[in-house]
Amino acid sequence: MAIITFAQIKGGSGKTTLAKCLVAEFVARGLPIAALDLDPNRPLGRFFAQIPELRDVEVAVPGGDQRVSALVRDLAARHDNVVIDLMGAATNDTQVALALSDLVVVPSQMGEDDFRGGIETWRQVEEAELVARRPIARAVLMVRTSASAVRPRVESFVREAYENAGAEVLAASFGDRTVWREMSYAKWVPVLHDRDSHAAQNVAAIFDELMALLARSEASAAA
Ligand SMILES: Nc1ncnc2c1ncn2[C@@H]1O[C@H](COP(=O)(O)OP(=O)(O)OP(=O)(O)O)[C@@H](O)[C@H]1O
Ligand SMILES: [Mg+2]
């Protein structure tokens, strides 16, 4: 069972887009999945409702007097995998969600604000781990990187800066593609509708690397 959370206090870094893609990848692979939407705009349920293959994915949203901790526990009790999309700011609810996560992915574009937000988010995950007193796997994911074969210098700089600050960066990155910006309008999800496309293969590579990270973290926790 895995609770996978997308967290980055810098807004607009790609959390929601990646949460949509990861849920679609679980569905495409026939694996159980549910989602918790803590983005105040509540984009996940709206998006899933428009895509026939995703219509049945359960999306929990906070409301009434239900605590976020209760929502996460309830979803995790009924679904093997849960994806959580956080808002682009640190709140009490985001700290609770982090502390209950098995894996936290910190999306980061190349700008300095994303880098600073990414490091601050990384520190929050480290704190959540101390509070939870159990390992929380984590990785930075570079977002809107060039889809060309040659890695631009700026991406190398940002990767190095993260690593110098003690944050691990996934080898796979989430390439800049129009198809992700159009997804809500076109209702065309490469992950579901064109598995051979570069876009879908990109998400599959990210998925595989995240699952390997989770497996390593579980193995070291058991040892
Ligand atoms: N790989 C990508 N290629 C192209 N556009 C992207 C990519 N990832 C995200 N975007 C675009 O960037 C914008 C911000 O992405 P998104 O909403 O996923 O960020 P977020 O971190 O959830 O933002 P917020 O903090 O406001 O919740 C959106 O318009 C989205 O379509
Ligand atoms: Mg969002």
Side-chain angles (χ1 to χ4, degrees):
M1 193 205 76
I3 299 174
I4 304 171
T5 298
F6 288 95
Q8 159 66 289
I9 57 169
K10 166 73 172 65
S13 59
K15 298 178 287 291
T16 300
T17 308
L18 280 159
K20 290 173 182 172
C21 287
L22 198 70
V23 166
E25 184 69 25
F26 272 102
V27 169
R29 294 187 188 216
L31 298 170
I33 186 71
L36 173 61
D37 193 347
L38 296 181
D39 182 330
N41 297 312
R42 308 282 182 251
L44 291 187
R46 202 166 48 237
F47 176 70
F48 295 161
Q50 297 173 337
I51 312 291
E53 296 90 332
L54 302 178
R55 205 161 277 161
D56 295 334
V57 174
E58 180 176 346
V59 182
V61 297
D65 51 11
Q66 252 199 320
R67 317 276 314 171
V68 163
S69 55
L71 284 173
V72 175
R73 291 223 166 85
D74 172 56
L75 275 181
R78 292 182 294 108
H79 303 273
D80 275 351
N81 302 293
V82 176
V83 164
I84 303 179
D85 182 21
L86 295 189
M87 62 189 293
T91 67
N92 183 54
D93 282 350
T94 62
Q95 269 317 104
V96 169
L98 291 178
L100 292 170
S101 299
D102 300 300
L103 168 64
V104 178
V105 183
V106 182
S108 176
Q109 298 187 26
M110 259 75 72
E112 205 197 336
D113 287 351
D114 271 66
F115 171 69
R116 296 168 71 87
I119 291 297
E120 178 56 25
T121 308
W122 190 270
R123 302 285 173 247
Q124 288 172 359
V125 185
E126 287 177 335
E127 260 175 7
E129 188 177 63
L130 284 174
V131 171
R133 302 170 91 180
R134 63 185 185 86
I136 302 173
R138 51 192 175 268
V140 172
L141 173 56
M142 300 307 302
V143 169
R144 297 190 74 172
T145 52
S146 164
S148 87
V150 185
R151 179 179 288 172
R153 231 155 57 122
V154 62
E155 187 188 335
S156 305
F157 280 138
V158 182
R159 281 179 175 272
E160 201 181 314
Y162 271 116
E163 267 144 30
N164 288 341
E168 282 148 53
V169 185
L170 290 187
S173 62
F174 191 43
D176 191 6
R177 287 191 170 87
T178 313
V179 72
W180 305 128
R181 276 195 297 278
E182 293 174 349
M183 199 159 58
S184 309
Y185 305 105
K187 303 175 190 18
W188 174 259
V189 186
V191 171
L192 297 164
H193 303 136
D194 187 4
R195 301 262 319 147
D196 291 333
S197 62
H198 290 301
Q201 285 174 11
N202 185 181
V203 173
I206 292 168
F207 183 95
D208 289 339
E209 206 179 341
L210 292 179
M211 291 307 125
L213 188 60
L214 260 174
R216 278 204 306 281
S217 162
E218 277 163 16
S220 65

